[in-house]
Amino acid sequence: MTRRLARTDAGTLAGRTIVVTRPRAQSGDLVRALEARGARALVAPAIRLVPAPAKALDPAVDAAAAGRFAWVVFTSAAGVEAVFDRLRSGRARRRSLRAKVAAVGEGTAASLRARGVRPDLVPATFTTEALGRAMPRGRGEVLLARADVAPEGLERALSAKGWSPVRVDAYRTRDVRTLPRTVQRALLRGEVDAVTFTSASTVRGFVRAAGPMLRHPVVQRRHVPAVVCIGPVTSREARLAGLQVRAVGRPHTIEGLVAALERTLGAGANAKE
């Protein structure tokens, strides 16, 4: 069972201003956790999620409902939402997935459980690499409902174990053009203590929208925010983008991300990880 983010650490981030780069519809849990700890949370979506064309997704969902796939693998809660939205509509209405189900982590698993599906596999470490390692060897087709920008490492890992991966875009990721003005002003005033990232795509979107601003002499002179990432894949992308990562969530969940912020910004936290 997914643990709720508790309010037992109220005040640990008091006075801190933290930017949340998740899409607004997905930012609620993190914002509430930050505010419960006394922080000022500024939502600055770095990406937006748009539906994938139904003409590609619907046949895959129909096939999963008909029992064609041995496994259906989800690597995000957004993928779960997209598939189950299509499952409830059109030809697949009132049918369920006839396959074993794997989830990359507890957030994705919780989204499945909320729809009455108990995942058969959740790796101990919440990354796609760990998911690939945790999948058993076997034969048959595996449906991967992913974002259009997701890298292909998981497909290769499944192929190496004998499976035939079938990838379909569950949703598409688009960068935003600019950040909200409140966030721009806070960055230029040196008020932002940390920027959080929960996926590689949020890193890329934020850097495109705010990169020049982060390099602005005023920001450099006043205060460069700490960069805190949910997991190793996200932190690797941040470092490739030239950002200095101060902390990484342990575990790689929203709760782990909040704990990393507390280690970095809480009372007496000065050392870099």
Side-chain angles (χ1 to χ4, degrees):
M1 180 178 295
T2 303
R3 290 195 299 165
R4 290 185 178 275
L5 293 174
R7 297 181 62 93
T8 55
D9 298 314
T12 55
L13 294 173
R16 299 296 194 175
T17 297
I18 299 170
V19 171
V20 175
T21 59
R22 301 192 93 187
R24 190 172 297 276
Q26 298 180 339
S27 64
D29 284 352
L30 180 52
V31 168
R32 286 189 291 271
L34 296 176
E35 291 177 345
R37 288 158 174 79
R40 174 194 180 200
L42 297 180
V43 179
I47 58 172
R48 58 187 180 90
L49 306 183
V50 300
K55 65 180 181 181
L57 184 55
D58 276 353
V61 172
D62 282 347
R68 169 183 158 185
F69 297 104
W71 286 83
V72 178
V73 175
F74 293 99
T75 56
S76 69
V80 173
E81 181 178 355
V83 166
F84 278 81
D85 281 350
R86 301 313 303 166
L87 192 64
R88 291 192 296 266
S89 65
R91 292 169 296 173
R93 187 177 293 126
R94 295 186 297 277
R95 299 168 73 181
S96 59
L97 298 177
R98 293 176 57 196
K100 290 186 176 181
V101 176
V104 73
E106 276 303 316
T108 305
S111 186
L112 285 165
R113 294 187 191 105
R115 291 164 172 81
V117 176
R118 182 185 296 274
D120 298 281
L121 175 65
V122 181
T125 302
F126 304 152
T127 64
T128 52
E129 290 91 341
L131 179 57
R133 292 193 299 269
M135 281 287 290
R137 293 185 175 275
R139 293 190 179 278
E141 291 185 307
V142 176
L143 178 63
L144 298 104
R146 309 194 68 189
D148 59 328
V149 297
E152 297 183 355
L154 181 56
E155 287 89 323
R156 291 193 293 270
L158 294 177
S159 294
K161 290 194 170 183
W163 299 107
S164 299
V166 177
R167 175 167 172 165
V168 64
D169 288 353
Y171 58 96
R172 293 182 172 177
T173 302
R174 298 291 180 263
D175 294 339
V176 300
R177 293 184 178 181
T178 187
L179 301 179
R181 290 185 179 180
T182 54
V183 177
Q184 294 182 39
R185 287 195 293 266
L187 284 167
L188 289 173
R189 292 171 180 168
E191 297 172 354
V192 176
D193 295 291
V195 179
T196 61
F197 296 108
T198 54
S199 67
S201 57
T202 60
V203 173
R204 292 190 292 268
F206 184 83
V207 168
R208 291 189 182 105
M213 186 178 304
L214 293 177
R215 294 188 292 272
H216 194 284
V218 174
V219 176
Q220 293 287 329
R221 184 170 63 252
R222 290 182 175 178
H223 180 59
V224 177
V227 172
V228 181
C229 299
I230 197 168
V233 175
T234 305
S235 65
R236 183 163 59 245
E237 187 70 27
R239 291 186 176 100
L240 287 173
L243 303 178
Q244 294 186 351
V245 178
R246 286 280 300 276
V248 178
R250 297 195 302 264
H252 313 319
T253 61
I254 295 300
E255 190 171 51
L257 178 63
V258 172
L261 286 163
E262 290 175 314
R263 293 196 303 272
T264 305
L265 301 178
N270 295 312
K272 293 183 180 180
E273 295 197 357

